[in-house]
Amino acid sequence: MRSIDDFTRPREFLSPIDDYFGKIVRQWADKEVIPYRQRYDEDWKEHRLIEPAFDKLMGELGLQRVLFPEDLGGWGLGHSHYTASASFRLMEEVARADSGIAVAFGVTFWPLIMICNEPHLNRRLCEEFAPLFCNTDKAVFAANAMTEPQGGADIENMDVIKGSTIETTAVLDGDEWIVNGHKLWPTNSGGVCSLFGVVCTTNPGSKDLNDFAFIFVPADKPGVTQGGPYQKAGMAADKNGDVWFDHVRVPKHYRACGPGDDYKYFKEVISFGNLGSIAFVSGVMLNVFEILQDYFNKSYFQGQPLKEHDAVAAVLADIVKDVEIIRIIGNQYARMLDRPDLYGFRWSDEIVAKGRAYKYFACDRAVENLGRAMNLMESRGSDRACDIEKHWRDIKIVQLWMGGKQLCQVETARWYFDCKTL
Amino acid sequence: MDRFNLFPFPNDSTEYSDLLLVQTLHRWAETEVFSKRLELREDYEKLLMPAMQKLFVDVELQKMIWPEDCGGIGLNKREVARTLAMALEQIGRADCGIGYISAVTLTLCSSFVFDYNFKEELCRRSAPLFCRADHITIGSLVLPSFKEGDPSEKAPVFRGKPLPARARRDGDKLVISGEKMRPLNSGCDALLFGVLCALEDSDEPALILVPGDSPGLIRGEPIIKTGLTASKNTDITLADVSVPAGNLIFHGEDCLRRMLSWFYLNISAVTVGSLFTVFEIIKEWGDTRVIKGKGNLFKENPLTASVMAEIGHEIMLSRLLLYQLVAMFSRPEDFNHREGDDLYVPALSIVSHITQNAEKTINQTMELMGSAGYATEWNLERYWRDLKTIQVHLGSWELNKMALSRYFYESQSL
């Protein structure tokens, strides 16, 4: 019988730690998550069931350390030439079990990309923040605080808006930044975050790229308030909430890369966000294949397994066809991020635009395929016990976040057709 | 502006009483559901059950299609299709789950109180539950579904799926057996089940009414599902349940198709009503949100306006299709008196189209609203989950299409 390992991967450029990552995370998934995940939805607020799985993955297995340099207790992935390829495998395997855990885990790296990745590794901040993540066997979460109440994900529409709608301010006062603002929806907020990367402006309304600032704010600083988690349709493992920064003071050197560079390298964060989104989709679809394989072998129609019905088989084929393509695209994008010598910088308009295109393709296909899979399974498709509806609920938000489909379309069109005003 | 009039429907034969009913249901929705759900979300005990009690008993929905001489309101004729559609739109607008339960309950009752298959004795025995009770009476249906397990077991099959139960005659009784059957709704609290059975020595399906308190009827543990919180469902087992022979509602495929046609009409109306709420949510979003900075209203952006247009477009077409189906039921003379597959196939086609487009429409609405569309606070995501759950309960589109092919192309072996 076929397994998820029969779906194609680019064997000629897998990362050297691919097998290791794959093996330990799949073991973790099968033992620590899949047996319990049907009860995760009711655990959205307390995380009593979910927290041990996070601790095992991020703390005990140590995967929250991977981006930091080796001499600081990390695994050195941030300065490797396979950051993206290894990350893709990691996120895909976690998402196979639970894409909410994958998001919370993956987003912890999101702000850290600004300081851990070459060529903009910020040694001073790495030294300062590495102990928080590397000297513990408990899960520690970081978050990117971007979205604001007034315009949602407008902030991520960087090429046109250029940070001019950001209302969270950073004012330099001697050797400290004073941060004020209100953010919505960061993954890993809702009370669990230990370190925020905050998108701010040093000059409200300005389109000067030097005024776009990415500033780290430890969550225990006076003036930081995290609201409780929102109740959502799914993704219980990913907590989101309001975050207020009220005259929060942080050292001047907590600005990630500096004027101009914060803006530039933040686009690399967007690229990795797109890569992660594709990996979440890919991981979910692999598990969907496993569920469908089991269900359509066991369910009978006209005296034979349902998979033998020609019309049903055609839909099953459509689904696995898309799993193949999504996985290939995701791995290809990872390769593009890992080889700037061939494909251009991770923060280039081209790489960002292509990431947006791949992301929305993958999400659209997954949303449609999960809907079709549920429909094929009839009333069982809506049973929690069949797991497919969980993936259907969870994967929808991957399509919605980071500006949703429309921002993906705009950025894709802008690059390919050289649009000026979108 | 009356937003529902944005979506036209042929109201040439709308009765004044229909409009009054719509107004009553609109008030019920506002006072019993909308005003409370931000606080109570989908609380079954505090929100959904009290709202259903008001609807079924105080508003007298459960009396609606029963004959007047049984204590009902007397709308037990096919002409009631328009009234049902208008009512179910309003109920679905408030809550899909309550709409779904209403739709199934009305379908079950219509199968033996409507003039096309009036079962007087059964009607008189059952009417008090609906017409004289001060409690809600939920009806449910058990229809064929896929079977898991040994294919060599010879179970009577209807269109490729095993009939869920077997029935045999025992004097003036029918004795029914069936294991772990999944009702369409409310397995935990339905008071009546219409169970599709294989009757001994017959290949034709038979629908038998089984009271929920019958000895031998065993309810399982509640099932957690994607949506339709108002429907507390579970598998039921019938262990030699004995019911009067008069509980045989129908025996034969034609009646089954007729009943399913009514079911599809009712579900279409619930779905269209739910889309009204989706429209109201995205309308407010478009009116109040900005995009690309201050002063640029969301609805004024060409890209988002384009998607919003598709949402309005789909709702409008769905409503037109719904009332076209209503016309087929209520004015058969205008449609060459369609019966059997001539009615069933359009009903199946229309409900499939409406529910599939509802999924697409809500998906698009969520895309426009980003994460807010996913948060329970905005109330959109519950319609997304509910309507998907309704859709999967209609059966797989791939297999339902076989019925269409049999009809259009006279396929013999599908």
Side-chain angles (χ1 to χ4, degrees):
Chain A
M1 193 155 78
R2 305 280 180 259
S3 78
I4 54 174
D5 293 320
D6 290 307
F7 286 95
T8 307
R9 295 193 307 138
R11 296 182 194 282
E12 65 275 22
F13 59 73
L14 296 177
S15 81
I17 52 175
D18 186 86
D19 276 348
Y20 178 68
F21 270 1
K23 188 176 172 189
I24 62 169
V25 176
R26 195 170 295 181
Q27 281 175 352
W28 162 86
D30 290 339
K31 185 178 174 196
E32 308 289 341
V33 180
I34 290 176
Y36 308 107
R37 66 185 176 184
Q38 286 171 11
R39 290 184 284 155
Y40 278 7
D41 277 294
E42 285 68 36
D43 195 33
W44 66 276
K45 206 170 191 176
E46 304 295 335
H47 275 195
R48 288 198 180 99
L49 269 176
I50 299 169
E51 194 174 302
F54 274 129
D55 285 340
K56 185 83 179 175
L57 177 75
M58 297 169 67
E60 291 178 38
L61 293 175
L63 293 175
Q64 68 195 14
R65 306 172 203 166
V66 295
L67 273 190
F68 288 101
E70 294 91 326
D71 64 323
L72 298 177
W75 296 19
L77 200 62
H79 65 83
S80 74
H81 61 279
Y82 47 82
T83 315
S85 302
S87 300
F88 187 85
R89 179 70 196 271
L90 200 50
M91 296 306 155
E92 187 185 59
E93 287 289 345
V94 178
R96 172 182 159 261
D98 186 282
S99 52
I101 291 183
V103 173
F105 170 51
V107 164
T108 289
F109 301 121
W110 228 14
L112 300 178
I113 286 169
M114 295 290 285
I115 57 170
C116 291
N117 279 13
E118 293 290 5
H120 46 86
L121 188 142
N122 183 327
R123 179 76 190 180
R124 186 177 180 187
L125 286 183
C126 281
E127 287 174 0
E128 198 154 341
F129 295 135
L132 182 65
F133 295 91
C134 301
N135 296 348
T136 177
D137 58 1
K138 294 288 184 188
V140 177
F141 297 96
N144 259 359
M146 303 186 292
T147 302
E148 297 185 347
Q150 72 284 356
D154 258 356
I155 283 169
E156 293 167 62
N157 189 359
M158 297 176 71
D159 284 347
V160 166
I161 305 295
K162 299 184 190 303
S164 62
T165 63
I166 299 170
E167 294 193 354
T168 300
T169 57
V171 176
L172 202 54
D173 181 28
D175 285 339
E176 291 182 319
W177 290 105
I178 303 174
V179 178
N180 277 291
H182 176 198
K183 299 289 189 179
L184 304 177
W185 278 99
T187 280
N188 293 337
S189 51
V192 300
C193 185
S194 296
L195 180 66
F196 286 103
V198 185
V199 173
C200 314
T201 178
T202 58
N203 184 12
S206 166
K207 286 195 171 185
D208 183 342
L209 303 183
N210 292 318
D211 294 326
F212 179 99
F214 190 92
I215 295 177
F216 283 93
V217 177
D220 59 0
K221 283 282 179 189
V224 177
T225 306
Q226 295 188 58
Y230 307 140
Q231 192 174 5
K232 315 188 298 281
M235 278 227 174
D238 166 24
K239 285 192 182 183
N240 314 90
D242 289 53
V243 189
W244 291 270
F245 301 95
D246 184 11
H247 291 85
V248 181
R249 287 180 170 271
V250 295
K252 184 180 175 183
H253 69 274
Y254 275 23
R255 184 168 185 174
C257 306
D261 284 348
D262 277 350
Y263 177 87
K264 180 164 80 175
Y265 298 125
F266 185 70
K267 290 167 86 171
E268 180 179 349
V269 170
I270 300 295
S271 294
F272 271 96
N274 289 322
L275 178 76
S277 299
I278 304 166
F280 304 149
V281 169
S282 183
V284 162
M285 294 307 294
L286 290 174
N287 191 229
V288 167
F289 166 75
E290 294 174 292
I291 295 166
L292 294 179
Q293 193 181 42
D294 180 59
Y295 182 82
F296 285 90
N297 272 323
K298 285 196 308 201
S299 297
Y300 283 79
F301 179 73
Q302 293 178 333
Q304 56 182 353
L306 198 44
K307 66 179 181 179
E308 303 294 341
H309 187 275
D310 296 51
V312 170
V315 178
L316 296 175
D318 285 350
I319 293 171
V320 292
K321 171 260 292 177
D322 283 344
V323 182
E324 271 283 338
I325 293 170
I326 289 165
R327 206 177 198 207
I328 288 169
I329 286 173
N331 277 290
Q332 169 63 24
Y333 192 52
R335 187 61 173 165
M336 289 160 69
L337 298 187
D338 281 339
R339 291 295 303 269
D341 54 321
L342 295 176
Y343 295 99
F345 293 118
R346 293 165 177 164
W347 50 88
S348 70
D349 291 346
E350 176 182 353
I351 290 291
V352 172
K354 289 182 176 174
R356 294 282 198 191
Y358 302 155
K359 184 247 180 184
Y360 95 80
F361 172 84
C363 291
D364 282 1
R365 301 316 307 142
V367 167
E368 183 179 331
N369 282 322
L370 273 155
R372 294 180 83 187
M374 281 177 75
N375 185 274
L376 272 186
M377 292 169 74
E378 303 199 333
S379 62
R380 306 286 160 169
S382 64
D383 280 7
R384 176 84 61 85
C386 285
D387 279 329
I388 204 103
E389 67 87 35
K390 168 191 165 51
H391 285 313
W392 175 78
R393 286 183 290 117
D394 287 350
I395 208 66
K396 181 67 184 173
I397 199 170
V398 182
Q399 185 190 47
L400 303 178
W401 67 34
M402 291 178 66
K405 179 173 175 174
Q406 280 70 42
L407 183 54
C408 288
Q409 290 173 314
V410 163
E411 293 217 333
T412 304
R414 183 186 294 146
W415 189 79
Y416 278 99
F417 295 97
D418 199 23
C419 303
K420 303 295 186 194
T421 64
L422 295 181
Chain B
M1 180 191 299
D2 180 350
R3 288 175 180 171
F4 306 124
N5 284 335
L6 282 176
F7 303 110
F9 72 105
N11 59 1
D12 49 303
S13 55
T14 302
E15 305 272 350
Y16 180 63
S17 57
D18 293 338
L19 297 176
L20 285 180
L21 177 61
V22 166
Q23 283 176 11
T24 302
L25 292 171
H26 198 85
R27 275 197 303 276
W28 163 81
E30 296 299 327
T31 56
E32 302 302 324
V33 182
F34 290 138
S35 63
K36 299 175 181 174
R37 68 181 178 190
L38 188 60
E39 178 193 352
L40 298 174
R41 303 292 162 105
E42 294 174 87
D43 193 305
Y44 181 79
E45 300 295 341
K46 292 179 181 165
L47 177 71
L48 299 171
M49 191 38 113
M52 279 196 284
Q53 174 77 20
K54 283 271 184 192
L55 175 69
F56 276 53
V57 180
D58 297 357
V59 181
E60 299 187 325
L61 182 82
Q62 66 186 23
K63 292 170 73 171
M64 195 164 101
I65 63 169
W66 289 80
E68 284 180 281
D69 60 357
C70 291
I73 296 175
L75 300 176
N76 54 324
K77 298 179 180 64
R78 63 167 71 206
E79 290 77 7
V80 78
R82 168 178 298 275
T83 308
L84 281 182
M86 293 176 75
L88 288 168
E89 272 186 349
Q90 293 301 319
I91 300 168
R93 173 178 167 262
D95 185 272
C96 305
I98 297 176
Y100 180 70
I101 290 171
S102 306
V104 180
T105 302
L106 288 164
T107 301
L108 173 63
C109 296
S110 69
S111 68
F112 61 98
V113 306
F114 273 19
D115 47 7
Y116 73 86
N117 187 45
F118 183 57
K119 300 285 183 189
E120 186 172 358
E121 189 269 334
L122 179 59
C123 193
R124 294 202 181 284
R125 274 196 287 123
S126 309
L129 267 178
F130 292 88
C131 303
R132 299 209 171 84
D134 59 2
H135 57 75
I136 178 171
T137 298
I138 295 175
S140 183
L141 286 165
V142 182
L143 301 177
S145 61
F146 297 132
K147 183 172 176 61
E148 284 190 20
D150 182 5
S152 62
E153 185 189 330
K154 295 293 180 196
V157 168
F158 176 70
R159 294 278 158 84
K161 292 178 186 171
L163 288 165
R166 295 166 187 265
R168 61 182 165 81
R169 296 181 197 278
D170 183 13
D172 59 354
K173 301 283 187 189
L174 288 165
V175 180
I176 310 161
S177 305
E179 283 193 11
K180 292 185 178 172
M181 301 177 292
R182 174 69 55 87
L184 285 181
N185 63 293
S186 310
C188 295
D189 48 13
L191 296 187
L192 289 171
F193 292 94
V195 182
L196 204 64
C197 300
L199 201 52
E200 57 187 348
D201 304 326
S202 170
D203 293 331
E204 294 275 289
L207 190 75
I208 299 174
L209 191 68
V210 178
D213 59 357
S214 301
L217 188 154
I218 302 155
R219 302 178 198 249
E221 291 297 310
I223 295 159
I224 303 176
K225 56 193 184 318
T226 308
L228 302 180
T229 309
S231 163
K232 287 178 77 172
N233 210 0
T234 184
D235 289 344
I236 62 167
T237 292
L238 303 179
D240 287 334
V241 169
S242 179
V243 299
N247 281 26
L248 177 63
I249 296 174
F250 60 70
H251 184 200
E253 216 173 308
D254 281 349
C255 282
L256 174 58
R257 277 197 292 260
R258 168 74 74 165
M259 183 187 75
L260 290 174
S261 301
W262 278 99
F263 177 52
Y264 297 153
L265 172 77
N266 293 344
I267 291 298
S268 298
V270 171
T271 305
V272 168
S274 303
L275 290 174
F276 289 161
T277 298
V278 172
F279 172 79
E280 291 172 282
I281 292 170
I282 193 62
K283 175 79 167 63
E284 183 189 346
W285 186 264
D287 284 343
T288 54
R289 297 290 292 187
V290 296
I291 186 168
K292 295 187 183 177
K294 287 177 182 169
N296 301 316
L297 275 182
F298 197 81
K299 66 181 180 183
E300 304 296 343
N301 176 274
L303 173 57
T304 49
S306 160
V307 183
M308 289 168 77
E310 287 185 22
I311 292 166
H313 162 83
E314 290 295 352
I315 298 172
M316 185 173 69
L317 293 183
S318 292
R319 197 180 202 198
L320 287 172
L321 280 174
L322 164 65
Y323 283 93
Q324 187 66 27
L325 188 58
V326 163
M328 286 187 198
F329 278 82
S330 56
R331 299 202 314 270
E333 63 279 9
D334 292 345
F335 294 90
N336 298 325
H337 295 280
R338 299 174 87 90
E339 298 290 344
D341 271 355
D342 287 340
L343 187 62
Y344 171 74
V345 166
L348 175 61
S349 294
I350 287 174
V351 75
S352 301
H353 186 90
I354 289 175
T355 52
Q356 287 166 25
N357 278 295
E359 180 183 8
K360 179 187 157 202
T361 298
I362 303 190
N363 268 324
Q364 286 180 310
T365 309
M366 292 176 85
E367 285 164 21
L368 291 177
M369 293 176 65
S371 302
Y374 199 72
T376 56
E377 184 184 345
W378 277 87
N379 283 311
L380 178 64
E381 60 85 31
R382 66 192 287 168
Y383 287 88
W384 176 63
R385 289 184 287 110
D386 285 348
L387 286 176
K388 185 64 187 177
T389 310
I390 288 177
Q391 185 205 72
V392 300
H393 278 76
L394 293 174
S396 152
W397 173 229
E398 294 311 315
L399 299 183
N400 284 339
K401 278 190 289 188
M402 300 302 110
L404 306 191
S405 271
R406 280 193 296 269
Y407 175 76
F408 288 118
Y409 307 106
E410 299 172 32
S411 308
Q412 299 298 318
S413 64
L414 294 176

